[in-house]
Amino acid sequence: MSPEETVDVAIRKTREFFESIGMRTRLKDYGIKLSNCRAIVERFEKRGLKMGEHRSIGAGEVGEILALCE
């Protein structure tokens, strides 16, 4: 299995686990539309928030991730 396939399987299994215990796993499940994404990115910028294990995910990366969430 390629590294990309391994990642895809891990993501799928993680999503399946959370859904099996009743957790929602998609932005649309929370009523968040792609049109709201700019406001989310702006909040990250304003607050200077960083996420991730190494605190390396900032507003730009959040915007890129949200753009992929259709």
Side-chain angles (χ1 to χ4, degrees):
M1 188 178 305
S2 73
E4 292 83 8
E5 290 170 322
T6 301
V7 168
D8 289 341
V9 169
I11 291 169
R12 181 177 47 80
K13 288 184 177 281
T14 301
R15 188 179 67 241
E16 288 172 355
F17 167 74
F18 282 116
E19 290 172 351
S20 78
I21 60 172
M23 289 187 72
R24 297 177 268 179
T25 61
R26 308 255 183 211
L27 292 175
K28 66 183 177 182
D29 296 338
Y30 290 92
I32 298 172
K33 299 176 182 165
L34 289 179
S35 59
N36 304 116
C37 292
R38 184 69 209 146
I40 294 169
V41 172
E42 287 172 359
R43 273 188 244 141
F44 268 81
E45 289 171 341
K46 181 179 178 180
R47 297 175 184 169
L49 296 175
K50 295 280 187 172
M51 295 175 41
E53 181 179 356
H54 301 288
R55 300 282 185 226
S56 60
I57 301 171
E61 292 81 13
V62 168
E64 292 174 21
I65 292 165
L66 292 173
L68 297 172
C69 292
E70 286 192 80

